[in-house]
Amino acid sequence: MSSLLRASFTPSFHSQNGQFFPPTNQQKSFGVVSALNSNADVEKTTMKNCGKNTTISPNGHFSNLLNFSGEKPTTPILDTVNYPIHLKNLSIEELGNLANELREEIVYTVSKTGGHLSSSLGVAELTVALHHVFNTPDDKIIWDVGHQAYAHKILTGRRSKMQTIRQTFGLAGFPKRDESDHDAFGVGHSSTSISAGLGMAVARDLLGKSNHVVAVIGDGAMTAGQAYEAMNNAGYLDTNLIIILNDNRQVSLPTATVDGPAPPVGALSRALTKLQSSTTFRQLRETAKGITKKIGGPTHEIAAKVDTSVRGMAAGSGSSLFEELGLYYIGPVDGHNVEDLVDVLKKIKAMPAPGPVLIHVVTEKGKGYAPAEAAPDKMHGVVKFEPKSGKQLKAKSSTRSYTQYFAESLIAEAEKDDKIVAIHAAMGGGTGLNLFQKHFPSRCFDVGIAEQHAVTFAAGLATEGIKPFCAIYSTFLQRGFDQVVHDVDLQKLPVRFAIDRAGLVGADGPTHCGAFDTTFMACLPNMVVMAPSCESELMHMVATAAAIDDRPSCFRYPRGNGIGSILPPNNKGIPIEVGKGRVLREGNKVAILGYGTTVQSCLAAAELLEVLNISVTVADARFCKPLDATLIRQLAKEHEVLITVEEGSIGGFSSHVSHFLALNGLLDGNLKLRSLMLPDRYIDHGSQTDQIEAAGLGSKHIAATALSILDEHIDKLHLLRLQTNF
């Protein structure tokens, strides 16, 4: 098996004791400049390929003078590739050039659409090598996380649709099983690929098939516990499975601090730099297998004891964590050397029974595109940008994002209370806590992609009188729900959950939609559940959560910008009375009770109805739990129609209101109740405006619901249509 280890090692920096260190930002920047300098003093081999001058550096990297001019690039090799089968007869040189053409194509496309950039640029050679060696869709390739799969999409029949990526009715930004047979598994959340791949591998064995299963997992995704649970099980089952660790030395998420990109957190990132390949363990493990076979019919317990003994014999100061888990480790392999990648993958593919294998591939996020190499964090997820410079063309707004308002408010609270700390799961940039870290570096904790740990870590802090704010996207909080229930709510610990990206999130689609948090948080007996209608209310709810010190609490807020409401002085909110809503507009015919930022659509609906001489009350619930019982009784008794509106799933705020009304006999009379929430289906990616329309939660939908209930006004529905067309 030593022939498997001929792959080139990635150039790196070493201390005198042999420890590996990734290049610093300064060294990276120097490398970018050098790459652009045609007079760089480097040994090169130049060849002519498909009309382009190609330089092959000593480390086996193929580099053309890539076209990032903004004009459609010339891609002679890519133009011959529609599906993976068209890669089979390409030479190593052609594969290397194909990788660079993919980079040109991705930059050209994403500059016009926005999307995930740096991650896909970093795996161009790996993607080409995988599709050259393996035969999808029979062989299964799982991308974890799926935002690095743009090159994969291009090579699997979707190149002509790439200009629609993440847009309404267009391609999804992540692998999607019903989009292509080549997408083996949908991966929008991280760290699931090894579990899914192992399931596919075991299913293959049960069905008597012989296909290969490959899980490509990033070093950031490898920080989550599920990846280790899966590797532990894979080592025990010993089925054939190929795991490719894409190590780009930066969590593949927007984890930048204010001062620059942040590396993966925890001991794993340091351990990866020390790993070396070793055949000793595998050879001894195979010997152990032979011994157990000779014993004849023993239980797994005997086999495990023999295997454990062999592990002890092979263990040493340089032993690999992955080998201890029962995986055969190969690497580190240069992820930008096509020849080495192809060689390793072919040899693994040819082995009849390799068991679970982990190939450690070192890549550079943003490879080949200077702006992304220099700032892989800022170019992780981009809006439309200028290809020559990488300058993003962000639309100017008079208001900031809800995420920023949250961060500024939390900073204001922390300045007054030194017990306040902040926790995020590898999402400092996404949650705004990079701003908090700038002010309070010792009070901000990045736990890696480990939401379960984040929640229980916060619970532990709370037991000692610390005031933790756990900022997690709604969709990712789902991953830590058991801990929310058992470790926080059951013990009535005052952990504060700041639930970002609540509701519809636009281009990221259903994998990142924050539809369910109100439903799963409000069902917990001790949880206070809030949602602000605007940015100033968000600041008041941050203050409210800080003041609640006898039970857990949460508040949800959406992706997008505020409405321009008047902010409290110095961004310091004023605590709201728990369970107290407010009336924003008084009428007598129809009552609309909104929860969260849908209140703004409720107010707009009231304006539409006012033109039709219908008197409308609009109330801001503020709290789903506890409900404002006095307010709801008043609305139910004083109006003919009550409409509840929320941007959440069935079982959420509207369910709590209707349950309250029923228990209190308020539905026994003439009240007409209608509940508007997200439909009981997943809403595809697209603009948030399009998604709101698809969900039926726009102002005209609310107004139309009111008109459809009022018999004497139902004939005015056509007038409402005319109004909203202008």
Side-chain angles (χ1 to χ4, degrees):
M1 293 191 180
S2 59
S3 61
L4 284 170
L5 306 175
R6 292 175 181 168
S8 299
F9 284 70
T10 303
S12 55
F13 300 89
H14 296 264
S15 66
Q16 290 182 349
N17 63 7
Q19 185 173 351
F20 170 100
F21 294 97
T24 64
N25 288 337
Q26 183 178 3
Q27 289 158 340
K28 279 188 177 183
S29 299
F30 176 76
V32 171
V33 174
S34 297
L36 297 175
N37 185 351
S38 60
N39 296 319
D41 185 18
V42 179
E43 181 183 351
K44 304 173 183 176
T45 302
T46 303
M47 56 182 285
K48 197 80 170 177
N49 190 294
C50 297
K52 290 187 177 183
N53 285 323
T54 301
T55 300
I56 308 176
S57 61
N59 60 8
H61 295 190
F62 292 84
S63 58
N64 301 323
L65 185 61
L66 301 185
N67 175 14
F68 300 126
S69 65
E71 300 294 326
K72 184 168 178 60
T74 302
T75 52
I77 300 176
L78 182 57
D79 291 345
T80 69
V81 176
N82 293 317
Y83 290 96
I85 193 171
H86 300 136
L87 278 73
K88 303 306 178 187
N89 294 325
L90 296 181
S91 67
I92 293 297
E93 291 78 13
E94 289 170 326
L95 292 173
N97 279 287
L98 175 60
N100 281 325
E101 290 182 10
L102 282 168
R103 286 193 174 92
E104 293 177 320
E105 183 83 2
I106 290 169
V107 170
Y108 174 75
T109 300
V110 177
S111 71
K112 298 181 180 302
T113 64
H116 291 101
L117 182 66
S118 295
S119 301
S120 288
L121 295 177
V123 295
E125 287 86 1
L126 177 59
T127 306
V128 166
L130 283 169
H131 280 297
H132 176 73
V133 173
F134 295 101
N135 303 303
T136 60
D138 292 334
D139 292 332
K140 311 300 179 184
I141 301 176
I142 307 166
W143 297 93
D144 184 0
V145 174
H147 57 231
Q148 60 187 316
Y150 284 20
H152 163 78
K153 285 179 181 272
I154 292 171
L155 296 177
T156 52
R158 288 168 277 182
R159 183 188 183 190
S160 63
K161 297 180 181 178
M162 284 298 292
Q163 74 276 6
T164 71
I165 198 160
R166 292 163 49 90
Q167 298 176 36
T168 305
F169 304 122
L171 294 178
F174 303 93
K176 190 175 182 181
R177 281 172 53 81
D178 60 7
E179 185 178 283
S180 172
D181 290 341
H182 297 272
D183 291 355
F185 201 73
V187 187
H189 290 190
S190 79
S191 317
T192 60
S193 59
I194 304 175
S195 298
L198 182 59
M200 293 177 190
V202 170
R204 171 202 62 207
D205 298 343
L206 292 172
L207 296 171
K209 297 181 179 180
S210 59
N211 61 288
H212 299 274
V213 180
V214 182
V216 182
I217 182 168
D219 55 341
M222 193 65 93
T223 63
Q226 184 177 354
Y228 293 91
E229 295 170 13
M231 285 190 289
N232 180 54
N233 194 210
Y236 174 74
L237 294 176
D238 201 40
T239 191
N240 294 345
L241 173 67
I242 300 170
I243 302 166
I244 296 177
L245 171 58
N246 173 26
D247 179 5
N248 58 28
R249 307 187 200 94
Q250 185 198 7
V251 178
S252 298
L253 291 168
T255 55
T257 66
V258 172
D259 298 318
V265 299
L268 174 65
S269 60
R270 293 191 294 271
L272 289 179
T273 66
K274 300 177 183 178
L275 288 176
Q276 296 180 358
S277 57
S278 170
T279 61
T280 304
F281 174 76
R282 188 67 186 180
Q283 290 168 348
L284 288 175
R285 191 160 185 260
E286 292 302 318
T287 301
K289 288 181 187 177
I291 293 172
T292 58
K293 288 179 181 177
K294 289 180 181 179
I295 292 174
T299 64
H300 283 296
E301 182 180 355
I302 297 175
K305 287 180 179 178
V306 175
D307 197 30
T308 300
S309 298
V310 173
R311 290 170 192 247
M313 293 166 59
S317 60
S319 64
S320 161
L321 167 64
F322 302 114
E323 290 175 345
E324 289 294 321
L325 289 170
L327 279 63
Y328 178 48
Y329 172 85
I330 298 171
V333 179
D334 184 346
H336 301 299
N337 187 314
V338 178
E339 184 174 8
D340 285 350
L341 289 169
V342 169
D343 184 56
V344 169
L345 293 174
K346 280 185 174 179
K347 286 182 169 64
I348 291 293
K349 181 182 178 182
M351 294 172 65
V357 176
L358 186 138
I359 306 172
H360 181 183
V361 174
V362 179
T363 63
E364 181 181 1
K365 195 172 180 180
K367 175 72 174 178
Y369 181 50
E373 288 180 347
D377 55 314
K378 293 180 180 178
M379 301 298 283
H380 167 85
V382 297
V383 296
K384 296 177 183 180
F385 62 94
E386 208 291 309
K388 285 184 180 179
S389 64
K391 181 181 179 181
Q392 297 188 49
L393 309 176
K394 295 183 179 180
K396 292 183 179 179
S397 173
S398 58
T399 62
R400 298 188 294 281
S401 69
Y402 279 97
T403 297
Q404 289 175 284
Y405 290 120
F406 156 69
E408 291 166 0
S409 180
L410 187 60
I411 290 167
E413 295 295 328
E415 287 173 342
K416 301 289 185 180
D417 189 342
D418 61 7
K419 289 186 177 181
I420 289 177
V421 300
I423 302 163
H424 66 90
M427 295 293 287
T431 61
L433 289 185
N434 54 356
L435 300 172
F436 185 92
Q437 183 183 30
K438 181 73 172 178
H439 286 78
F440 308 105
S442 65
R443 293 159 62 186
C444 187
F445 302 93
D446 178 357
V447 302
I449 305 178
E451 290 83 3
Q452 292 176 312
H453 166 58
V455 173
T456 306
F457 174 60
L461 287 164
T463 64
E464 299 302 307
I466 300 299
K467 297 182 176 180
F469 278 76
C470 200
I472 302 178
Y473 285 14
S474 171
T475 186
F476 298 140
L477 186 58
Q478 296 163 186
R479 296 155 62 99
F481 182 62
D482 178 67
Q483 286 68 31
V484 173
V485 177
H486 183 271
D487 299 338
V488 175
D489 195 74
L490 180 62
Q491 302 186 88
K492 210 173 181 181
L493 292 172
V495 175
R496 295 96 177 150
F497 294 97
I499 306 176
D500 201 338
R501 296 333 193 253
L504 298 166
V505 295
D508 282 335
T511 62
H512 287 60
C513 178
F516 309 112
D517 58 272
T518 303
T519 300
F520 66 67
M521 295 299 270
C523 69
L524 302 179
N526 294 319
M527 187 72 66
V528 174
V529 183
M530 304 174 271
S533 57
C534 62
E535 60 268 40
S536 56
E537 282 285 293
L538 173 58
M539 290 184 169
H540 296 319
M541 288 184 182
V542 172
T544 305
I548 297 173
D549 213 25
D550 60 347
R551 52 190 151 161
S553 58
C554 67
F555 49 94
R556 74 187 318 247
Y557 47 99
R559 179 177 187 169
N561 288 5
I563 63 168
S565 62
I566 299 173
L567 301 178
N570 302 316
N571 298 323
K572 175 70 173 66
I574 300 171
I576 302 167
E577 180 183 346
V578 173
K580 187 69 174 176
R582 58 178 183 157
V583 174
L584 301 177
R585 173 186 177 128
E586 292 191 8
N588 54 41
K589 190 78 170 177
V590 175
I592 306 176
L593 178 60
Y595 181 65
T597 53
T598 58
V599 168
Q600 305 307 323
S601 296
C602 297
L603 289 168
E607 294 290 337
L608 293 173
L609 292 170
E610 183 181 30
V611 174
L612 302 177
N613 296 316
I614 298 173
S615 179
V616 180
T617 295
V618 176
D620 175 6
R622 283 177 164 169
F623 293 86
C624 176
K625 192 168 191 176
L627 289 170
D628 187 338
T630 302
L631 174 63
I632 295 173
R633 282 194 180 93
Q634 176 188 341
L635 296 177
K637 290 179 178 180
E638 297 179 0
H639 298 81
E640 181 181 335
V641 173
L642 174 58
I643 301 172
T644 60
V645 186
E646 64 177 311
E647 198 173 312
S649 69
I650 292 172
F653 170 72
S654 296
S655 175
H656 283 257
V657 172
S658 61
H659 187 63
F660 171 84
L661 292 169
L663 282 178
N664 288 274
L666 295 169
L667 296 178
D668 298 345
N670 296 320
L671 178 68
K672 298 176 181 178
L673 174 68
R674 296 293 184 272
S675 300
L676 298 182
M677 75 282 291
L678 292 176
D680 193 19
R681 61 181 173 83
Y682 294 103
I683 296 178
D684 283 338
H685 58 277
S687 71
Q688 284 177 284
T689 301
D690 289 344
Q691 289 181 325
I692 290 290
E693 286 295 304
L697 290 178
S699 57
K700 68 179 181 182
H701 298 100
I702 300 169
T705 299
L707 287 176
S708 68
I709 302 170
L710 297 169
D711 294 335
E712 69 270 29
H713 293 286
I714 195 167
D715 60 337
K716 295 180 180 178
L717 276 170
H718 71 284
L719 296 177
L720 181 63
R721 264 186 228 104
L722 289 174
Q723 270 186 268
T724 55
N725 285 336
F726 292 97

